[in-house]
Amino acid sequence: MLLFFGSCQARTKKRYQDCHLNTEEDTMSHDLIFDGETLQSTYDSTRDGYGSGSIEKSTCERIVVKELKDKTEYVLEVCEIEGAEITVLLVE
């Protein structure tokens, strides 16, 4: 994630993919593509047996780091949905 964040700051094209297991051990994936200007976010929960089971796509203008007391968040901001923020990674 740090390399992807640095590429966004430098306005360099980059792709990042995160696959992880949720608490029920279903595979979830989050793809981020930065084209040098905007971020394309695709969150795939179709393998989630208990959740929405959908693919959610958004276009956002920037990714920021939020340093909180006991964790660090990487958040997409200025997304096509008014006021929406999408947390990409949470480090505790």
Side-chain angles (χ1 to χ4, degrees):
M1 177 52 70
L2 288 175
L3 290 174
F4 183 80
F5 179 74
S7 294
C8 293
Q9 297 300 96
R11 312 300 282 174
T12 304
K13 296 178 182 180
K14 191 75 170 172
R15 181 176 182 177
Y16 174 82
Q17 183 177 41
D18 173 55
C19 292
H20 63 276
L21 299 176
N22 65 8
T23 55
E24 293 86 23
E25 297 190 12
D26 297 323
T27 303
M28 313 292 271
S29 70
H30 196 169
D31 292 326
L32 297 172
I33 299 172
F34 182 64
D35 65 8
E37 293 183 24
T38 59
L39 289 147
Q40 302 293 321
S41 169
T42 304
Y43 185 76
D44 184 347
S45 64
T46 55
R47 295 183 182 139
D48 184 358
Y50 294 99
S52 62
S54 63
I55 297 175
E56 300 170 15
K57 295 184 177 192
S58 295
T59 301
C60 303
E61 289 184 17
R62 64 179 172 256
I63 186 169
V64 297
V65 177
K66 293 186 175 185
E67 298 287 345
L68 306 171
K69 185 180 0 177
D70 58 347
K71 58 189 170 188
T72 303
E73 274 186 302
Y74 290 84
V75 179
L76 300 179
E77 291 187 334
V78 191
C79 299
E80 59 197 20
I81 301 168
E82 186 73 28
E85 287 187 352
I86 300 169
T87 298
V88 176
L89 180 67
L90 179 64
V91 180
E92 295 184 280

